[in-house]
Amino acid sequence: MVKLDIETVRGKFQAMQDGLSAAFAERGTAIEAALLALLSGQHALLVGPPGTAKSALFFALLSHLGGARRFQTLITKFATEDEVFGPVKLSALKVDRWERALEGRLAAVECAFLDEVFKGSDSVLNTLLSAMNERLYKGAPIPLRYVVAASNELPEGETLAAMYDRFLLREEVRYIEGEDAWCALISAPPSYEAGPAEQIDLDEWAAAVRAVRAVELPAVVVRGMLAVKTALKAQGILASDRRWVSLATVLRASAWLDGREAVELDDLRVLRYGLWNRPEEREQVIAVLRQVEQGPAAKATEIIDGALAAF
């Protein structure tokens, strides 16, 4: 087995981010959220109106991943388990066995794109929960590593809360606003059909995920996370302990992608993708993160005191 050069692998991921950012104008944060999810073993959600290149961005990203099998589907309330996980094998039924033909469906791929994910039936969504969280289908391990979902709107009600929570990183995607960027899009829409010349294979992807987990998380950064948590709590924005644990890995992914062996306070900015639930909370989260980034523990204490004084 050939030993991988992790610096070469890192360079490929950096080139991926640079290439996607050059191809997709005004999509830098969406690209970052999707890439950090890829590197931290998580899933990402892109929220925005139709025609904002959510699926195009996903498949452009996948064009860099050589050997990664992919599955795409539009989830509707009429969608069945057969459509997502494969039809029942008639040949197996003839000999009294119940099996699905999984090939080409979600349980047989590494990467999946789920459009309008929150519109599925309870049976389909419940099965997706296990596949995304435990990487299991009917109790059997599956190769699924990475799911990106798109939605025109956020879910309403408690019944969809579990599915929403499966997407650790979330970002809004809007129509292009800059005139020059819009004209460039019309003149030359991004195309990744052929894919880049240099591919990231599955072993390199796995090595990158392992390297991310080895990045140091200093105590000062943990205190910074606590400052963010406290300030947001004062504003009524809460996140579970499980989400904070997972976000620590996202911070490591940010540092690793930047070529560092330890997380720094500046990396806290990427928490913007994982701490809001409603659109109106997004700007509050960003504002708190900007303040915490400005200084160490003394500044963090000032932010906490200010947030508490507002109530």
Side-chain angles (χ1 to χ4, degrees):
M1 184 168 151
V2 178
K3 185 177 180 180
L4 295 174
D5 179 357
I6 199 63
E7 289 304 319
T8 299
V9 173
R10 190 194 333 249
K12 289 184 178 183
F13 278 96
Q14 291 170 336
M16 177 199 293
Q17 185 175 29
D18 292 343
L20 292 173
S21 297
F24 291 87
E26 298 183 12
R27 296 291 179 267
T29 57
I31 292 165
E32 183 175 53
L35 187 51
L36 290 176
L38 183 80
L39 287 168
S40 55
Q42 298 293 334
H43 309 301
L45 172 68
L46 303 179
V47 182
T52 48
K54 296 186 292 293
S55 60
L57 194 156
F58 171 75
F59 285 105
L61 186 153
L62 285 195
S63 72
H64 291 259
L65 300 177
R69 295 166 293 179
R70 61 203 66 182
F71 172 73
Q72 176 187 22
T73 191
L74 172 65
I75 304 291
T76 71
K77 63 181 179 180
F78 303 110
T80 65
E81 204 170 325
D82 286 6
E83 295 175 62
V84 180
F85 292 96
V88 176
K89 288 183 178 179
L90 297 179
S91 58
L93 288 177
K94 291 178 181 179
V95 292
D96 295 327
R97 290 202 318 270
W98 189 92
E99 297 177 9
R100 287 191 183 276
L102 302 179
E103 294 78 11
R105 304 301 172 97
L106 188 137
V109 302
E110 285 80 22
C111 305
F113 181 78
L114 306 177
D115 200 5
E116 291 304 320
V117 63
F118 302 115
K119 295 184 177 178
S121 65
D122 288 347
S123 62
V124 168
L125 291 180
N126 286 336
T127 307
L128 280 172
L129 286 175
S130 178
M132 292 172 61
N133 198 44
E134 289 83 28
R135 271 67 168 187
L136 297 174
Y137 178 63
K138 303 299 183 184
I142 60 176
L144 186 68
R145 298 189 188 186
Y146 180 56
V147 175
V148 172
S151 179
N152 296 336
E153 55 193 10
L154 292 174
E156 297 290 342
E158 292 299 319
T159 56
L160 295 173
M163 175 56 70
Y164 187 39
D165 190 58
R166 287 297 184 273
F167 298 100
L168 180 69
L169 302 186
R170 308 156 181 164
E171 181 60 341
E172 287 189 303
V173 184
R174 302 169 182 170
Y175 293 124
I176 290 177
E177 296 180 356
E179 294 181 358
D180 290 343
W182 189 88
C183 289
L185 171 67
I186 301 304
S187 301
S191 174
Y192 267 71
E193 292 182 4
E198 196 169 31
Q199 298 276 295
I200 300 169
D201 64 32
L202 293 178
D203 289 339
E204 290 174 319
W205 179 7
V209 172
R210 290 193 299 271
V212 162
R213 291 172 181 164
V215 171
E216 181 188 355
L217 185 68
V220 66
V221 176
V222 175
R223 299 298 298 182
M225 294 173 70
L226 177 61
V228 173
K229 175 180 177 290
T230 305
L232 290 177
K233 182 179 179 180
Q235 298 183 40
I237 301 175
L238 303 175
S240 68
D241 291 343
R242 180 180 64 186
R243 177 166 286 268
W244 279 106
V245 169
S246 298
L247 286 171
T249 303
V250 175
L251 293 178
R252 291 182 171 97
S254 174
W256 183 83
L257 191 59
D258 197 41
R260 289 179 277 111
E261 296 181 357
V263 180
E264 298 178 357
L265 284 173
D266 286 348
D267 292 304
L268 292 176
R269 64 178 182 76
V270 302
L271 295 177
R272 61 181 288 174
Y273 305 122
L275 291 175
W276 60 273
N277 289 307
R278 312 304 307 170
E280 58 270 20
E281 296 174 350
R282 184 171 173 271
E283 293 306 318
Q284 291 175 268
V285 170
I286 292 173
V288 167
L289 291 172
R290 283 174 178 165
Q291 289 179 302
V292 172
E293 288 172 30
Q294 291 172 5
K299 185 63 181 177
T301 302
E302 177 185 333
I303 294 165
I304 296 171
D305 292 343
L308 293 174
F311 286 81

